[in-house]
Amino acid sequence: RFSRVRWHRSASTFRGSYHSPPFRSSIFRVTNIHCHNNTHSADITPDRARVEGPEGAVSQVREAMADEVDVTGRSLNFETPVGLTPDRSGVRIVDGAGVVLRVRIRPERITRAFTGVRLEPGFPAGARHPVRLQPATITVELKATREVLDALNPEAIRAFLDLEGMSPREAPYLVKPRIVIEPAEIAMQIAVQSVSDETIYVRIDR
Protein backbone atom coordinates (compact mmCIF):
# COMPACT_ATOMS: atom_id res chain seq x y z
CA ARG A 1 0.00 0.00 0.00
CA PHE A 2 1.27 3.45 -0.90
CA SER A 3 0.49 6.16 1.61
CA ARG A 4 1.38 9.70 2.62
CA VAL A 5 2.58 11.02 -0.69
CA ARG A 6 4.00 14.27 0.60
CA TRP A 7 3.92 17.56 -1.24
CA HIS A 8 6.06 20.17 0.54
CA ARG A 9 6.29 23.87 -0.09
CA SER A 10 9.34 24.79 -2.14
CA ALA A 11 10.88 28.17 -1.32
CA SER A 12 12.14 28.49 -4.87
CA THR A 13 8.64 28.17 -6.28
CA PHE A 14 6.74 30.11 -3.64
CA ARG A 15 4.54 32.82 -5.00
CA GLY A 16 1.79 34.89 -3.47
CA SER A 17 -1.10 36.91 -4.73
CA TYR A 18 -3.17 39.25 -2.59
CA HIS A 19 -6.82 40.14 -2.91
CA SER A 20 -9.33 41.67 -0.57
CA PRO A 21 -9.53 39.96 1.87
CA PRO A 22 -5.84 38.93 1.59
CA PHE A 23 -5.46 35.64 -0.28
CA ARG A 24 -2.30 33.70 -1.00
CA SER A 25 -1.39 30.80 -3.23
CA SER A 26 1.62 28.59 -2.70
CA ILE A 27 3.25 25.88 -4.82
CA PHE A 28 3.92 22.45 -3.29
CA ARG A 29 6.04 19.71 -4.83
CA VAL A 30 6.38 15.97 -4.20
CA THR A 31 9.13 15.14 -1.71
CA ASN A 32 8.21 11.63 -0.57
CA ILE A 33 6.30 8.64 -1.94
CA HIS A 34 6.18 5.84 0.60
CA CYS A 35 5.36 2.18 0.08
CA HIS A 36 4.58 0.13 3.20
CA ASN A 37 6.65 -2.91 2.18
CA ASN A 38 9.34 -0.94 0.29
CA THR A 39 9.25 -3.36 -2.65
CA HIS A 40 7.36 -1.27 -5.20
CA SER A 41 8.02 2.19 -6.56
CA ALA A 42 5.95 4.99 -8.01
CA ASP A 43 5.89 8.49 -9.35
CA ILE A 44 3.13 11.07 -9.41
CA THR A 45 2.11 13.49 -12.16
CA PRO A 46 2.09 16.43 -11.95
CA ASP A 47 4.72 16.68 -9.22
CA ARG A 48 3.50 20.13 -8.15
CA ALA A 49 0.20 21.42 -6.83
CA ARG A 50 -1.03 24.86 -5.77
CA VAL A 51 -2.78 25.57 -2.48
CA GLU A 52 -4.95 28.67 -2.22
CA GLY A 53 -6.81 30.34 0.64
CA PRO A 54 -6.67 33.08 3.25
CA GLU A 55 -3.16 34.36 3.81
CA GLY A 56 -3.02 33.19 7.43
CA ALA A 57 -4.22 29.67 6.61
CA VAL A 58 -1.96 29.17 3.60
CA SER A 59 1.10 30.27 5.57
CA GLN A 60 0.45 27.42 8.04
CA VAL A 61 0.20 24.69 5.39
CA ARG A 62 3.31 22.54 5.42
CA GLU A 63 2.29 19.64 3.19
CA ALA A 64 -0.47 18.14 1.11
CA MET A 65 -1.02 14.39 1.04
CA ALA A 66 -2.36 12.12 -1.67
CA ASP A 67 -4.83 9.32 -1.07
CA GLU A 68 -3.56 5.89 -0.04
CA VAL A 69 -3.44 3.36 -2.86
CA ASP A 70 -3.81 -0.33 -2.05
CA VAL A 71 -1.61 -2.59 -4.22
CA THR A 72 -2.68 -5.88 -2.61
CA GLY A 73 -2.99 -8.62 -5.24
CA ARG A 74 -1.50 -6.47 -8.00
CA SER A 75 1.01 -8.14 -10.31
CA LEU A 76 1.22 -5.58 -13.12
CA ASN A 77 2.18 -1.91 -13.26
CA PHE A 78 -0.80 0.42 -13.13
CA GLU A 79 -1.84 4.03 -12.71
CA THR A 80 -4.71 5.54 -10.81
CA PRO A 81 -6.05 9.04 -10.08
CA VAL A 82 -5.56 10.27 -6.52
CA GLY A 83 -6.97 13.12 -4.53
CA LEU A 84 -4.94 15.68 -2.59
CA THR A 85 -5.61 16.91 0.94
CA PRO A 86 -3.73 19.79 2.60
CA ASP A 87 -2.74 19.41 6.26
CA ARG A 88 -4.70 22.55 7.27
CA SER A 89 -8.37 23.40 6.92
CA GLY A 90 -9.65 26.57 5.31
CA VAL A 91 -7.58 26.16 2.14
CA ARG A 92 -8.13 24.34 -1.11
CA ILE A 93 -6.07 22.59 -3.73
CA VAL A 94 -6.05 24.46 -7.02
CA ASP A 95 -5.50 22.41 -10.16
CA GLY A 96 -5.78 19.27 -8.02
CA ALA A 97 -7.77 17.39 -10.63
CA GLY A 98 -5.90 15.04 -12.93
CA VAL A 99 -3.25 13.98 -10.41
CA VAL A 100 -2.15 10.44 -11.33
CA LEU A 101 -0.05 7.97 -9.34
CA ARG A 102 1.89 5.53 -11.52
CA VAL A 103 2.87 2.38 -9.63
CA ARG A 104 5.60 -0.02 -10.72
CA ILE A 105 5.00 -3.48 -9.30
CA ARG A 106 8.06 -5.54 -8.53
CA PRO A 107 7.31 -9.28 -8.58
CA GLU A 108 7.64 -10.92 -5.19
CA ARG A 109 10.95 -12.72 -4.66
CA ILE A 110 10.99 -16.00 -2.77
CA THR A 111 13.71 -18.36 -1.55
CA ARG A 112 13.98 -22.02 -2.50
CA ALA A 113 16.47 -24.71 -1.47
CA PHE A 114 18.05 -26.95 -4.10
CA THR A 115 19.50 -30.12 -2.60
CA GLY A 116 22.04 -32.56 -4.01
CA VAL A 117 24.11 -29.97 -5.88
CA ARG A 118 27.27 -31.88 -6.85
CA LEU A 119 30.71 -30.44 -6.27
CA GLU A 120 33.02 -30.16 -9.28
CA PRO A 121 36.77 -30.09 -8.48
CA GLY A 122 38.74 -27.98 -10.92
CA PHE A 123 42.39 -28.86 -11.43
CA PRO A 124 44.82 -26.86 -13.56
CA ALA A 125 45.01 -28.03 -17.15
CA GLY A 126 46.83 -31.35 -17.43
CA ALA A 127 46.73 -32.13 -13.69
CA ARG A 128 44.62 -35.08 -12.61
CA HIS A 129 44.59 -36.71 -9.18
CA PRO A 130 42.06 -38.80 -7.27
CA VAL A 131 39.99 -36.49 -5.09
CA ARG A 132 37.84 -37.23 -2.04
CA LEU A 133 35.28 -34.62 -1.00
CA GLN A 134 33.45 -34.21 2.27
CA PRO A 135 30.57 -33.64 1.74
CA ALA A 136 30.09 -34.78 -1.86
CA THR A 137 26.99 -32.63 -2.43
CA ILE A 138 25.60 -29.44 -0.91
CA THR A 139 22.32 -27.60 -0.60
CA VAL A 140 22.06 -24.17 -2.19
CA GLU A 141 19.33 -21.69 -1.30
CA LEU A 142 18.45 -19.25 -4.07
CA LYS A 143 16.27 -16.15 -4.16
CA ALA A 144 14.37 -14.97 -7.23
CA THR A 145 10.83 -14.57 -8.50
CA ARG A 146 8.67 -17.68 -8.39
CA GLU A 147 8.54 -17.72 -12.19
CA VAL A 148 12.33 -17.81 -12.50
CA LEU A 149 12.80 -20.51 -9.87
CA ASP A 150 10.04 -22.66 -11.37
CA ALA A 151 11.78 -22.56 -14.74
CA LEU A 152 15.27 -23.20 -13.35
CA ASN A 153 16.72 -26.64 -14.12
CA PRO A 154 18.51 -27.93 -10.98
CA GLU A 155 21.23 -29.32 -13.27
CA ALA A 156 22.06 -25.72 -14.19
CA ILE A 157 23.30 -25.10 -10.62
CA ARG A 158 26.96 -26.00 -10.30
CA ALA A 159 29.40 -25.80 -7.39
CA PHE A 160 33.03 -25.42 -8.47
CA LEU A 161 36.06 -26.07 -6.27
CA ASP A 162 39.15 -24.19 -7.41
CA LEU A 163 42.11 -26.52 -6.77
CA GLU A 164 44.70 -24.34 -8.50
CA GLY A 165 48.11 -24.80 -6.89
CA MET A 166 47.06 -27.78 -4.77
CA SER A 167 48.94 -31.08 -4.86
CA PRO A 168 48.60 -34.49 -3.16
CA ARG A 169 49.12 -34.51 0.61
CA GLU A 170 47.84 -36.24 3.74
CA ALA A 171 46.04 -33.27 5.28
CA PRO A 172 42.81 -32.09 3.62
CA TYR A 173 42.47 -28.71 1.97
CA LEU A 174 39.61 -26.44 2.97
CA VAL A 175 38.00 -25.00 -0.15
CA LYS A 176 35.03 -22.66 -0.49
CA PRO A 177 32.64 -23.70 -3.29
CA ARG A 178 31.79 -21.16 -6.00
CA ILE A 179 28.19 -21.32 -7.14
CA VAL A 180 27.60 -20.88 -10.86
CA ILE A 181 24.19 -20.81 -12.54
CA GLU A 182 23.76 -21.12 -16.29
CA PRO A 183 22.88 -19.51 -18.56
CA ALA A 184 24.21 -16.11 -17.53
CA GLU A 185 20.99 -14.24 -18.38
CA ILE A 186 19.14 -16.41 -15.86
CA ALA A 187 21.90 -16.09 -13.25
CA MET A 188 21.51 -12.30 -13.35
CA GLN A 189 17.99 -12.68 -11.95
CA ILE A 190 18.99 -14.98 -9.08
CA ALA A 191 20.75 -14.33 -5.78
CA VAL A 192 22.55 -17.03 -3.79
CA GLN A 193 21.16 -16.73 -0.28
CA SER A 194 23.10 -19.49 1.46
CA VAL A 195 25.14 -22.65 0.99
CA SER A 196 24.78 -25.56 3.41
CA ASP A 197 28.55 -26.06 3.64
CA GLU A 198 30.68 -22.95 3.33
CA THR A 199 33.88 -25.03 3.40
CA ILE A 200 34.54 -28.38 1.72
CA TYR A 201 37.20 -30.83 2.92
CA VAL A 202 39.22 -31.85 -0.12
CA ARG A 203 41.75 -34.71 0.01
CA ILE A 204 44.02 -35.08 -2.99
CA ASP A 205 45.61 -38.52 -3.37
CA ARG A 206 48.54 -39.55 -5.51
Side-chain angles (χ1 to χ4, degrees):
R1 173 175 295 182
F2 284 88
S3 66
R4 298 187 68 80
V5 180
R6 296 176 181 270
W7 305 59
H8 285 262
R9 186 181 2 245
S10 171
S12 62
T13 57
F14 176 85
R15 65 186 184 190
S17 59
Y18 295 87
H19 308 277
S20 182
F23 262 64
R24 175 178 291 181
S25 64
S26 183
I27 301 296
F28 286 70
R29 61 183 176 82
V30 174
T31 59
N32 181 38
I33 300 179
H34 174 70
C35 177
H36 283 271
N37 60 12
N38 294 320
T39 58
H40 309 304
S41 61
D43 58 65
I44 199 164
T45 304
D47 65 355
R48 286 171 171 78
R50 186 158 55 96
V51 176
E52 185 179 79
E55 179 181 4
V58 171
S59 64
Q60 294 180 28
V61 176
R62 292 294 174 265
E63 64 182 21
M65 290 172 288
D67 300 334
E68 286 194 346
V69 176
D70 192 352
V71 298
T72 303
R74 296 273 193 170
S75 59
L76 299 175
N77 298 344
F78 70 98
E79 60 182 50
T80 182
V82 291
L84 300 178
T85 305
D87 64 354
R88 294 290 187 276
S89 60
V91 299
R92 67 188 184 94
I93 301 289
V94 182
D95 304 326
V99 176
V100 174
L101 182 71
R102 294 182 175 86
V103 181
R104 293 175 291 278
I105 300 293
R106 297 176 186 171
E108 180 185 8
R109 292 168 66 85
I110 63 173
T111 58
R112 183 176 298 172
F114 292 81
T115 60
V117 177
R118 295 195 62 82
L119 296 159
E120 300 182 20
F123 281 104
R128 289 292 183 271
H129 298 283
V131 175
R132 289 177 288 164
L133 307 176
Q134 181 60 38
T137 64
I138 59 175
T139 296
V140 179
E141 188 176 65
L142 304 178
K143 185 173 185 178
T145 64
R146 186 180 302 277
E147 181 182 16
V148 168
L149 293 181
D150 285 346
L152 179 64
N153 184 347
E155 297 297 323
I157 308 170
R158 307 169 70 184
F160 285 102
L161 299 173
D162 185 0
L163 305 185
E164 178 75 32
M166 299 180 188
S167 58
R169 72 179 191 184
E170 289 296 324
Y173 292 95
L174 301 181
V175 183
K176 182 177 181 179
R178 179 171 60 91
I179 307 302
V180 175
I181 300 171
E182 297 176 338
E185 54 267 25
I186 297 298
M188 294 174 59
Q189 305 176 57
I190 300 174
V192 177
Q193 289 294 99
S194 66
V195 176
S196 60
D197 297 85
E198 293 287 346
T199 304
I200 307 300
Y201 288 83
V202 180
R203 291 184 182 273
I204 303 178
D205 300 325
R206 295 187 182 277

